[in-house]
Amino acid sequence: MAPRLDIQTRQDGFVHSVFRTGGWGMDPVPRGFQVVRIAQNGRARPIRVAHFHGLRNVGGKGDTPASADQAKRALTLLSQIASPQDDIVFAGDFNVLSDSETLAIFADCGLRDLVGQQDTRTALCPKAIRHANYMLVTASVDVRSFEVPANPVVSDHRPLILSIS
């Protein structure tokens, strides 16, 4: 971490299931969530940076009760170290489509999607559905730039590159 950044607090949890010993086992596997609250010298407000990897739905990336539950659980975990004045950057492979209930749940809580309809998969992914990763921010986040570059290819997921003030 850069010396000018102070991690004030962090939270780990699960958006689905709980920790399993002895490996991941049968699907659906537990899905972890991480968030840190960071203060930066010279920055007016702290920022929360959060991430989770969503459940895989055997039938595709359509809405399910479990995907709605994991979105609500993610918001609960996020709020445990939240202050209303914090900026939020929230990202991950949510395993949903761009018109999903999950993104609507996040939008209802003031998180706007930066990805939209962009392809977030690389040439290493042969699947026709190209939605995987999302990055959301609160309106208070001053986005300087946001990119989803196709190259270099180092994974089947494209990186999400955000620059903020």
Side-chain angles (χ1 to χ4, degrees), residues 15-151:
V15 293
H16 180 77
S17 193
V18 296
F19 177 77
R20 292 183 190 173
T21 58
W24 289 106
M26 299 285 293
D27 279 337
V29 297
R31 295 299 182 166
F33 173 92
Q34 303 83 35
V35 60
V36 294
R37 186 170 190 255
I38 300 170
Q40 180 180 3
N41 295 337
R43 193 169 201 284
R45 287 189 302 271
I47 187 165
R48 280 176 282 151
V49 179
H51 170 271
F52 82 91
H53 187 255
L55 284 169
R56 288 182 298 191
N57 180 357
V58 175
K61 295 187 179 209
D63 291 328
T64 65
S67 61
D69 288 346
Q70 77 180 355
K72 293 170 188 168
R73 180 70 182 139
L75 290 171
T76 298
L77 290 165
L78 187 61
S79 71
Q80 289 176 353
I81 67 166
S83 293
Q85 68 274 15
D86 291 354
D87 291 336
I88 299 172
V89 174
F90 190 23
D93 177 355
F94 297 163
N95 274 327
V96 297
L97 299 172
S98 58
D99 63 352
S100 76
E101 179 184 15
T102 292
L103 295 177
I105 290 168
F106 294 149
D108 287 346
C109 290
L111 293 163
R112 68 182 167 106
D113 174 24
L114 299 177
V115 173
Q117 296 296 320
Q118 294 183 69
D119 184 350
T120 61
R121 304 305 294 261
T122 68
L124 295 178
C125 177
K127 297 176 184 175
I129 295 177
R130 309 298 295 173
H131 302 286
N133 304 323
Y134 294 91
M135 183 170 289
L136 305 112
V137 297
T138 51
S140 58
V141 173
D142 182 14
V143 176
R144 288 186 178 173
S145 66
F146 177 69
E147 301 174 57
V148 186
N151 291 301

